[in-house]
Amino acid sequence: MLRGSKIDPRAFVNPHGTNQSAVTELAHQVIDMLIGHLSNAAQLPLQPDPGSLMMVRFPEHPQPAEVLLPLIQQVLQGAMNPAHPGYIGHMDTMPSTAAFLGELVSAATNNNMLSLEMAPFAARLEDRLMRLLAAEFGLSPQAGGVMVSGGSLANLEALALARNLRYDIAKTGLFGLPARPVILASAEAHTSLRKAAMVLGLGSEAVIALPADGNGSLTAASVAQAIIDHRAAGNDPFCVVATAGTTVLGAIDDIAGIAAVTQSAGIWLHVDAAYAGALIFSTTYRHLLNGIHHADSITFNPQKWMYVAKTCATLLVRDRSLLQRGFRVSAPYMGEDPELVNPGEINIQGTRHADVIKLWLTMQLLGRNGTAYLIDQSMLLVQQFATMLRDAGMELAAHPTTNLICFRPPAASDATVTAVQQRLHHAGSAFFSVPTWHGQRWLRSVVLNPFVDVARLQTIVSQLQAVVADAL
Amino acid sequence: MLRGSKIDPRAFVNPHGTNQSAVTELAHQVIDMLIGHLSNAAQLPLQPDPGSLMMVRFPEHPQPAEVLLPLIQQVLQGAMNPAHPGYIGHMDTMPSTAAFLGELVSAATNNNMLSLEMAPFAARLEDRLMRLLAAEFGLSPQAGGVMVSGGSLANLEALALARNLRYDIAKTGLFGLPARPVILASAEAHTSLRKAAMVLGLGSEAVIALPADGNGSLTAASVAQAIIDHRAAGNDPFCVVATAGTTVLGAIDDIAGIAAVTQSAGIWLHVDAAYAGALIFSTTYRHLLNGIHHADSITFNPQKWMYVAKTCATLLVRDRSLLQRGFRVSAPYMGEDPELVNPGEINIQGTRHADVIKLWLTMQLLGRNGTAYLIDQSMLLVQQFATMLRDAGMELAAHPTTNLICFRPPAASDATVTAVQQRLHHAGSAFFSVPTWHGQRWLRSVVLNPFVDVARLQTIVSQLQAVVADAL
């Protein structure tokens, strides 16, 4: 159909092969620019100035394919730079090579995870790989799961499933319930839980924020007491969320203790292990997740500590058939397959990108040992970093449980904390995030980038000391 | 951190540039394999046999990067083949070159649409581009929107927004409402509406399926009567969904007429233009969307008729501030920016991939005229196809409104329809989907692939006639 239009022939790969070399050449140019940029990441700013936005318009006429190169150059210049070894401010890292090449393949083949028919290989691979991950967490042989575009959706689908199974309201809605449903979680739990409760019609206030202990962990005693209190008040705590890897501190709740409480109370246990779930692959640290095999559902995001490009998130459930019983909305326009339900019928999403490809490829390249190595190294580094920061006189919010650490110069004002962050950022030294936590600003670090090392952290601490001395 | 592990050094792009040429070479190999595959698409099967799944495991040891090539080869062999010009069975097409190269850039830079800080360029680009799209649909200067990973999420967020604004229940939940909330939509509307109502706690039965007319369109009279009836029954119709491009027939509801009804009744109008919203770019066909500028919210998916790789979906709202008033859940751990709210606070997702890059690049390459050209050509082709099918004695479900057409051999059993589909598929002629619609199976075609032409459709009809003659 391109004939007679002014569309550059390279705008589509001709399925008869007539532009193979021209498109290949263009793609090589993009690759060269991209890998060149990433290879220079340590020299580039930690965070760019977003700059002026060029060509935010829909041009009247088709543009020649060469225009892609300056436009992509602008995307690269305006991007957050998580590949910089000083970029240690968020749970976001550089992705593996396998991840971004896998994403390219997913996009170019454009299969649709809505149905088996529209993603013959990828839909089956996803089902199998979710069973494999569920087994890694020690769930039952009936366990499995779905992939979703980000952890907020995994938490949302988990809570919807727990709610539907508890009250059988999928068809008729949340009316006439004898008691108000509430969700118990740590005050340190992720904000996506409140968003989920809002979406679910429970109201964001249905998420009860229980205080964490000094390490930022929710205790079993606290959960047990809250169940008693809420039941006495006429509420129905139908779900408890334990977090493995809280947003600010990276803390891990007492999963085993909480599981004992939820099992005896007959309450759904969801473990939000979006971040720290990756510890399951480390023989050294998997004990931090003790009890996770008792979970009814688990959010786990390979997009974080498994170095897969985002989005790559999973919802694992202790029994695959629960998704059909508690969440399925069938679609008569789709084909049926006796082998497997169409993924779109048990997923909060419908049409969906094949995120599974980049996950699968990354798992092959890193292997379990390689993944564990990266995790163990970053756990070790953050312990060393904690020592350096204490020696430099910093106040720590808590001793790090995982590879996150929050600190601040003692008695500094929030303005000073932010000024320190900005100075280190603009000096090209390090990029910390500055969350508000317990009423104060903190410098937060996530030691995730595979190219951070002790020498880098030592340099950062020296620069930090100089900046703090100057700022206070 | 890779030192001392057995991880292939190419598993990550070293930010100090030490493996630039090695990673570039690997990426070129992947590109060559991928473009080679896509360039041969017309010779490959329309739909593969998914085959045996190789290496669905987490290997103990890291694998050498060369393993990517045979694994990607397997992904390609097992993928649905929408680039084949006979693949006309779904609303899924080949993506533009700009789309899959843009996706590669988004994945490799791994920015996070959660916050402005974590996607300095892309988050601002998304905001600006959503305002531009909203203006294309004729919404007010205050209009804008968000991108989400697929149309189901766009519909879900739209209905959540309409519900929250109507009842002010974002914090307190759906309890004690005086009347039962219902959503009015065509019986031909997308199944994601029922899924959304289930998730929202309204119950899937809250979506009232109103009968469509003979063309598959919902009429204003039908909506007006339903509002009267439901109010009389004590329900509260708080939202009407008009569809532009129904799933099976591609029909378009009477948007202008329905808008007049919802405006006078004070009811939110959501237009699910996921598919046919692209007609707005065609001067010839945009009249089919008359009245869409009255919508309170619109779902529009560039992942379909704009040739952008999935996912790429948008929720547009008549006033951007409504998303803050009716949907925002703030996240104190994120930085603040006086300029713009963090996208993750007004989006049903949190961490999110930068889908905007591939959309922006595709818009530049195609331009408005190029996009309109592709749309107009496919509209023309389907009209010619309808004539050919009628001349071949086929029964049409309805005369096509957009570029979808559903047909069947008259008086054929469902088994015969499916057999015809299978034979055409296995002969490499064409891939039709076979939805159940109004109690019968139909052969459904979506003439979307830019490399379909009249000669191809003539050949398909000849082969169809031969297969039908043999099967009946």
Side-chain angles (χ1 to χ4, degrees):
Chain A
M1 287 201 252
L2 298 186
R3 206 174 305 130
S5 73
K6 302 231 170 89
I7 299 172
D8 189 309
R10 291 165 294 179
F12 292 95
V13 179
N14 190 303
H16 306 287
T18 61
N19 64 7
Q20 181 175 353
S21 61
V23 175
T24 302
E25 188 189 338
L26 180 69
H28 281 194
Q29 289 174 324
V30 170
I31 285 285
D32 295 352
M33 178 184 282
L34 178 64
I35 309 289
H37 173 85
L38 297 173
S39 295
N40 194 36
Q43 314 306 322
L44 293 169
L46 288 151
Q47 271 284 89
D49 200 314
S52 61
L53 292 173
M54 187 173 70
M55 285 184 76
V56 182
R57 62 191 184 93
F58 200 176
E60 275 308 294
H61 300 292
Q63 305 294 303
E66 281 75 15
V67 81
L68 287 180
L69 298 168
L71 295 176
I72 289 173
Q73 187 61 48
Q74 200 188 1
V75 173
L76 297 174
Q77 282 172 358
M80 159 182 94
N81 184 10
H84 190 300
Y87 188 91
I88 51 175
H90 286 291
M91 290 171 170
D92 290 71
T93 180
M94 63 191 315
S96 82
T97 307
F100 65 75
L101 293 176
E103 190 83 321
L104 167 68
V105 173
S106 294
T109 51
N110 205 25
N111 277 222
N112 189 340
M113 301 301 280
L114 175 66
S115 73
L116 295 169
E117 182 181 287
M118 290 148 92
F121 178 78
R124 289 171 177 87
L125 179 65
E126 179 177 299
D127 178 67
R128 294 273 292 271
L129 216 49
M130 292 308 99
R131 295 191 205 189
L132 184 153
L133 285 180
E136 294 280 344
F137 283 99
L139 300 182
S140 81
Q142 287 74 46
V146 293
M147 296 187 75
V148 287
S149 302
S152 293
L153 296 179
N155 281 343
L156 174 57
E157 182 161 341
L159 296 181
L161 179 65
R163 182 200 63 178
N164 292 354
L165 290 170
R166 172 74 165 202
Y167 305 111
D168 193 22
I169 50 83
K171 289 185 179 170
T172 51
L174 273 176
F175 307 102
L177 294 183
R180 180 152 182 262
V182 294
I183 296 157
L184 305 178
S186 162
E188 308 283 321
H190 194 250
T191 181
S192 62
L193 299 177
R194 286 191 298 124
K195 191 191 281 184
M198 176 273 279
V199 170
L200 292 170
L202 303 169
S204 56
E205 292 173 356
V207 179
I208 308 299
L210 307 178
D213 69 12
N215 293 318
S217 299
L218 180 62
T219 64
S222 181
V223 172
Q225 189 59 50
I227 292 171
I228 293 168
D229 293 348
H230 277 274
R231 285 180 172 171
N235 294 332
D236 181 33
F238 73 99
C239 180
V240 172
V241 180
T243 304
T246 59
T247 310
V248 175
L249 295 184
I252 298 179
D253 293 346
D254 174 13
I255 302 172
I258 292 170
V261 172
T262 55
Q263 284 192 328
S264 89
I267 295 177
W268 187 277
L269 175 61
H270 177 65
V271 180
D272 181 356
Y275 188 72
L279 292 171
I280 207 72
F281 305 117
S282 162
T283 50
T284 314
Y285 296 106
R286 60 177 302 157
H287 68 89
L288 293 171
L289 301 175
N290 270 351
I292 199 166
H293 63 287
H294 292 304
D296 294 294
S297 55
I298 298 173
T299 291
F300 169 55
N301 292 4
Q303 73 192 3
K304 297 178 189 281
W305 212 347
M306 278 185 92
Y307 302 94
V308 181
K310 60 184 73 71
T311 60
C312 188
T314 72
L315 170 63
L316 307 174
V317 291
R318 68 171 158 79
D319 181 341
R320 294 190 300 280
S321 71
L322 292 176
L323 285 167
Q324 295 199 42
R325 270 181 38 218
F327 197 82
R328 185 177 188 179
V329 174
S330 61
Y333 62 89
M334 290 201 282
E336 288 133 35
D337 198 304
E339 169 200 349
L340 209 59
V341 63
N342 279 309
E345 298 184 30
I346 54 170
N347 196 304
I348 194 158
Q349 299 177 254
T351 287
R352 190 162 49 88
H353 176 87
D355 286 326
V356 69
I357 303 301
K358 63 193 168 192
L359 170 61
W360 180 55
L361 296 179
T362 299
M363 287 170 74
Q364 307 313 310
L365 236 61
L366 297 182
R368 185 194 311 268
N369 290 348
T371 306
Y373 182 90
L374 292 169
I375 290 166
D376 291 355
Q377 288 295 306
S378 70
M379 289 288 279
L380 189 63
L381 267 182
V382 86
Q383 294 298 329
Q384 296 171 294
F385 195 30
T387 304
M388 293 178 211
L389 288 167
R390 280 205 187 90
D391 290 350
M394 295 295 135
E395 175 190 357
L396 268 57
H399 189 77
T401 313
T402 55
N403 65 345
L404 272 75
I405 192 164
C406 279
F407 62 94
R408 61 202 312 280
S413 69
D414 281 1
T416 302
V417 170
T418 306
V420 168
Q421 185 246 12
Q422 286 292 309
R423 287 207 212 172
L424 288 167
H425 167 193
H426 292 301
S429 169
F431 185 83
F432 296 107
S433 50
V434 280
T436 298
W437 181 78
H438 288 204
Q440 287 186 310
R441 289 267 184 193
W442 296 79
L443 294 158
R444 172 170 165 268
S445 172
V446 189
V447 184
L448 195 54
N449 184 310
F451 296 93
V452 184
D453 56 17
V454 174
R456 167 77 56 173
L457 294 177
Q458 283 167 334
T459 306
I460 290 171
V461 173
S462 303
Q463 291 166 326
L464 169 71
Q465 285 182 289
V467 166
V468 168
D470 192 51
L472 280 177
Chain B
M1 286 200 253
L2 298 187
R3 207 174 305 130
S5 74
K6 302 231 169 88
I7 299 173
D8 188 310
R10 292 164 294 178
F12 293 95
V13 179
N14 190 303
H16 306 287
T18 61
N19 64 6
Q20 181 175 353
S21 62
V23 176
T24 302
E25 188 189 338
L26 180 69
H28 281 195
Q29 289 173 324
V30 170
I31 284 285
D32 295 351
M33 178 185 282
L34 177 65
I35 308 288
H37 173 85
L38 297 173
S39 295
N40 193 35
Q43 313 305 322
L44 292 169
L46 287 151
Q47 272 283 90
D49 199 314
S52 61
L53 292 173
M54 189 172 67
M55 287 183 76
V56 182
R57 62 191 185 92
F58 199 177
E60 276 308 294
H61 300 292
Q63 305 294 303
E66 282 74 16
V67 80
L68 287 180
L69 298 168
L71 294 176
I72 289 174
Q73 187 61 48
Q74 201 189 2
V75 173
L76 296 174
Q77 281 171 359
M80 160 182 94
N81 184 10
H84 190 300
Y87 189 91
I88 52 177
H90 285 291
M91 289 171 171
D92 289 73
T93 180
M94 63 191 314
S96 81
T97 306
F100 66 76
L101 293 175
E103 190 82 323
L104 167 68
V105 173
S106 294
T109 51
N110 206 24
N111 277 221
N112 189 341
M113 302 301 279
L114 176 66
S115 71
L116 294 169
E117 183 181 286
M118 291 149 92
F121 178 79
R124 288 169 177 87
L125 179 65
E126 179 177 300
D127 177 68
R128 294 274 292 272
L129 216 50
M130 293 307 100
R131 296 191 206 190
L132 184 152
L133 285 181
E136 294 280 343
F137 284 100
L139 300 182
S140 81
Q142 288 74 46
V146 292
M147 295 188 76
V148 287
S149 302
S152 294
L153 295 179
N155 281 343
L156 174 57
E157 183 162 340
L159 296 182
L161 179 65
R163 181 201 63 178
N164 291 355
L165 289 170
R166 173 74 164 202
Y167 305 111
D168 193 21
I169 51 82
K171 290 185 178 170
T172 52
L174 272 176
F175 308 100
L177 294 184
R180 179 151 182 261
V182 294
I183 296 157
L184 305 177
S186 162
E188 308 283 321
H190 194 251
T191 182
S192 62
L193 299 177
R194 285 191 299 125
K195 190 190 282 183
M198 176 274 280
V199 170
L200 293 170
L202 303 169
S204 55
E205 292 173 355
V207 180
I208 308 299
L210 306 178
D213 69 11
N215 293 317
S217 299
L218 181 63
T219 64
S222 182
V223 172
Q225 188 59 50
I227 292 171
I228 293 168
D229 293 347
H230 277 274
R231 284 180 171 169
N235 294 333
D236 181 33
F238 72 99
C239 179
V240 172
V241 180
T243 304
T246 60
T247 310
V248 176
L249 296 184
I252 299 179
D253 293 345
D254 175 12
I255 303 171
I258 293 170
V261 172
T262 54
Q263 285 194 326
S264 88
I267 295 177
W268 188 276
L269 174 62
H270 177 64
V271 180
D272 180 356
Y275 189 73
L279 293 171
I280 207 73
F281 305 117
S282 162
T283 49
T284 314
Y285 296 106
R286 62 178 300 157
H287 68 89
L288 293 171
L289 301 175
N290 270 351
I292 199 166
H293 63 287
H294 291 304
D296 294 295
S297 55
I298 299 173
T299 291
F300 169 55
N301 293 5
Q303 73 192 5
K304 297 178 188 282
W305 214 346
M306 277 185 94
Y307 302 94
V308 181
K310 62 184 68 77
T311 58
C312 187
T314 72
L315 170 63
L316 306 174
V317 291
R318 67 172 158 79
D319 182 341
R320 295 190 299 280
S321 71
L322 292 176
L323 286 167
Q324 295 200 41
R325 269 178 42 215
F327 197 83
R328 186 177 188 178
V329 174
S330 60
Y333 62 90
M334 291 200 281
E336 288 132 36
D337 198 303
E339 166 201 350
L340 209 58
V341 63
N342 279 309
E345 297 184 31
I346 54 168
N347 196 304
I348 193 157
Q349 299 177 253
T351 286
R352 191 162 48 87
H353 176 88
D355 286 325
V356 69
I357 303 301
K358 62 192 168 193
L359 169 61
W360 180 54
L361 296 179
T362 299
M363 287 170 74
Q364 308 313 310
L365 237 61
L366 297 182
R368 185 194 310 269
N369 290 347
T371 305
Y373 182 90
L374 292 169
I375 290 166
D376 291 355
Q377 289 294 306
S378 71
M379 289 289 278
L380 189 63
L381 266 182
V382 86
Q383 294 298 328
Q384 295 171 295
F385 195 29
T387 303
M388 292 178 212
L389 288 167
R390 280 207 188 89
D391 290 349
M394 295 295 136
E395 176 190 355
L396 269 57
H399 189 77
T401 312
T402 55
N403 65 344
L404 271 76
I405 191 163
C406 279
F407 62 93
R408 62 201 315 278
S413 69
D414 281 1
T416 302
V417 170
T418 305
V420 167
Q421 186 246 10
Q422 286 294 310
R423 289 207 209 172
L424 288 167
H425 167 194
H426 292 301
S429 170
F431 186 83
F432 296 108
S433 49
V434 281
T436 298
W437 182 77
H438 288 203
Q440 288 185 310
R441 289 267 183 194
W442 296 78
L443 294 158
R444 171 170 164 270
S445 173
V446 188
V447 184
L448 195 54
N449 183 310
F451 296 94
V452 186
D453 56 17
V454 174
R456 166 76 57 175
L457 294 177
Q458 282 167 335
T459 305
I460 290 172
V461 173
S462 302
Q463 290 166 328
L464 170 71
Q465 284 182 289
V467 165
V468 168
D470 190 51
L472 281 177

